[in-house]
Amino acid sequence: MECVIACLSSAVSSFSEHLCGLICSRVGDPFTFKSNYSHLQQELQRLNDLNSRMERDHDKSVPGVNDWLRNVEETGCKVRPMQAKIEANKERCCGGFTNLFLQSREVAEALKEVRGLEERGNCLANLLAANRQARAVEHKPVESFDRQPAASKNLATIMNLLNDDAVGTIGVWGQGGIGKTTLVKNLNNILKDAPSTTPRFSIVIWITLSREWDLKSIQAQIAQRLKMEEKTKECPESLAARICERLKREQKFLLILDDVWKEIDLDALGIPRPDDQAACKIILTTRFLNVCRGMKTDREIAIHVLNDDEAWKLFCKNAGEAVIVEDIEPVAKAITKECGGLPLAISVMGTSMRKKTSKHLWEYALKELQRSVPHNIYGVEDKVYKPLKWSYDSLQGNLQSCFLYCSLYPEDFSIDISELVQCWLAEGLLDVDEQQSYEDIYNSGVALVENLKDCCLLENGDADRSCTVKMHDLVRDVAIWISSSLEDECKSLVQSGIGLSKFPESRLTPSLKRISFMRNELTRLPHIQIPCSEASTLLLQNNNTLERVPEAFLLGFQALRVLNLSDTDIHQLPPSLIHLGELRALFLSNCRWLNELPPVGRLSKLQVLDCSKSGILKLPEGMEQLSNLRELNLSGTEKLKTFRAGLISRLSGLEILDMRDSSYRWCLKTETNEGNAALLEELGCLERLIVLMVDFDGTTYPFSEYAPWMERLKSFGISVSGVGKRNPGVWSHYVERVSGMIKNNLFPDSFKNKDGKFEERKLLLSGLDLSGKLNEFLLTCAAVLELESCRGLNNLFHSVGGFVYLKSLSISSSNVRFKPPGGCRSPNDLLPNLEELNLISLPSLESISELVWSLGLKFSRLKVMRVLYCEKLKYLLSCDDFTQPLEKLEIIYLQDSGDLSDMFIYSSGLTSKSYPVAPNLRTIALSGLPKLNTLSRRKKTWLHLEHIYVRNCGSLKKLPLNKLSANTVKEIRGEIEWWTQLKWDDDVTSSSLQPLFKGPAWWFSEDNSERRVQTASSYGE
């Protein structure tokens, strides 16, 4: 019986398992339902997240993504109703047990399907990620920067800026062909293979713009780069919104806009601004600084031309082995120089001469370049000149003519901005009302100059010629090429600076508008009438051997507005000058042999007459009829002895009168007036006069009386000398004797106002007694004040009460002892904006602290301090006079003050303060100081010191330098004997400074007669 029961039990159990398995296979396992359903919900969430990423990142580069997205959507459509039923069953009694069996299998199948989709989706996502990594940066074919240190430095600068979170937009600007695009392409390719130290971007978008770009074309390039779906008839606003939303999903992106010609509205494009999107960076390249300003770049990087070595290497790379031929190499180097360091021109010229081994072909190419007509040099016009001309084409209005006018000047010539504006005004190129003040007109001209500089069509002149500009050689060539081919009113003939000795009559035609023969070797002009009836400018200056202007010559130029004969040896001007009725500007500067001018009364439109440094003895007849004359320059006219009374007052339009260093001296009615000479009072009749540069004779005037007309002056350079005093100024004389790089370091122009001729305010007083009544206007308005051999200096400073505009003060040849009123320090700083202090030949001065106490000086803006020939000077300053360091002081120059033993002392007994006295000192020059034994008692006084000049300072055994401060030093000059006996704290400092020692440098004359620069007269007290 037990056996039967056991068999039945086994059979029932087997049947039950089989039945249960059959049920589970049909309707699902109710015991795993809960677990499966929970897993299904989790897997669905992951699948949805994956689906979102795939929708964002997918593109056509990976097949199967669209099918997968469709399958996910279909699966979602099946699963969502099932989820709804399950959730509804949970509300029923017993949890809907009957339906549980039916839904369990659906859940299991759904879970399996979801897991399959997730697995496949992850594979596709990995493929997309790998593909995206590969296309984050698209390679740009470009030449590398081999052997170009300047370009490599610019590249490193941009890389650093990309890592700077404070910099969002970077502007790379420079003239056409200078290598902006090449630089940024190299940057792009570096980012493609970026090492860990390089900023990584999820995508770099490169957009090349055309000169006439439109918003939609740029958007299309961006959308294509982002693999965005194209939608027909989509408006720019809608596309901008999609682009913005798409870019915001990027982890970090870089947008490169190459060759931008005008400002781009980033919002209209759909570009998130770097201010709003920290991960966004923008780089733009442009020819125009104004584009950078308009797009609010955070940093601008100016790209400069190659130096000679880099230019030659680039030329050789393109020209090949031909350049190493012995007789070709010099010509090849001359061609390279003609390219002016412009990479595009160098590459094109080098390529065009590749494998040409005939010296004649090279010489012909050089001549073509020098003539600015390279029609027969392959590629130069199309690949160099025409792209550069695009910058010219972008200029508006008269700016094109202003630009072309600059090409009249010789190659690499620094053009005086003031002269340029005078010519533009005379030519009618300035869009101004001629009734405007000359200052306003000048400022409008300066604005045009700055505009051309911002377009890379002009650049700053030589460093030693401030307020000048010049043209890059190749830009000038293009300008000549343009102006020589024009058929309109701008056609020019430019033959300046080419060594002409014979006047080329055949080149002059009636169609010419502007003609330049300046800086040549012309000895004579044609004795015939030249048919140039349309010519408005004729430049003949700097022909040093030209002695005569024939009568007939000028008759052919009756439309002239500008005539320049400066720096010639002409002895006279022909009477035919009176036929130039349209003449606005006549330049005769440095015509040393020109003693007189013909009558000028018929030149009624003349606005500028420049006879500076000429040999004229008197002003021409008819001068009083020049009612439109705005500027009269008679400076340096050493032979001008007479000036007719009543003449100057009739020049009603005169705004600028410059008679500095002229032999004619203005005086008062009350003073000796020999003959019928002009008087100072006449200047008061010139209601438009705003610039006055004159020398006065007199003991006190114009300081003892009030002259209301002087308050109209915006700029002045006035010298007043006592009886018998005709010195140019001790300090000015001394500075003229110093030259070279040392002069630039010791006598910088940084304190001078560089805004132009209307900003100079200089006063030189020599041999005067200043203890009486003073006219305070000129004194209080002066920016530069030189006091030479004057008495009553204490009265001068304290009676005026304040010199708020004074930037430079020079006191020389005086026995003055500065004494504060009542013996106490002045409570107010009388010279609050002083930047330069020069003290020379003051034999009673014991320290500058006397001046500090007398005038309450704080030296908060002082940049330069020079003290020379002060025999009793024991020290410069007492540090107890100042509560703050002299932060601005950069230059100290001490010479021939034999008693000086210390520069700075601490009268309170303290040896140092918590701060260095002059922490930013950059240059120190010491000469003839035999007792000076220390410069500073602090080892870390001057951490920014760059230039050290020492001579005849035998007691100076130690410099306040250590290995840290030694890193900033650029040069040390002095006697070898002095250098070898110096003591150092450690060998590291000594060895690091040794290569910087350059030996002695005699920066002024050794002539004993000039060792002490002082006036021949006795000192003022």
Side-chain angles (χ1 to χ4, degrees), residues 114-133:
V114 168
R115 282 175 171 168
L117 284 172
E118 186 178 0
E119 182 178 353
R120 186 182 173 204
N122 284 326
C123 291
L124 291 171
N126 290 336
L127 289 173
L128 277 173
N131 188 59
R132 281 181 57 78
Q133 183 65 28

Side-chain angles (χ1 to χ4, degrees), residues 53-96:
R53 292 200 305 273
M54 296 286 278
E55 285 181 334
R56 181 191 68 192
D57 298 338
H58 89 281
D59 55 41
K60 299 177 182 178
S61 62
V62 177
V65 174
N66 288 331
D67 291 340
W68 181 86
L69 291 171
R70 186 170 56 255
N71 291 339
V72 170
E73 179 61 29
E74 291 172 353
T75 299
C77 291
K78 290 190 297 183
V79 171
R80 281 190 289 273
M82 179 189 71
Q83 286 180 298
K85 289 180 182 179
I86 293 174
E87 295 301 323
N89 286 333
K90 287 182 179 180
E91 304 297 327
R92 297 179 184 178
C93 181
C94 298

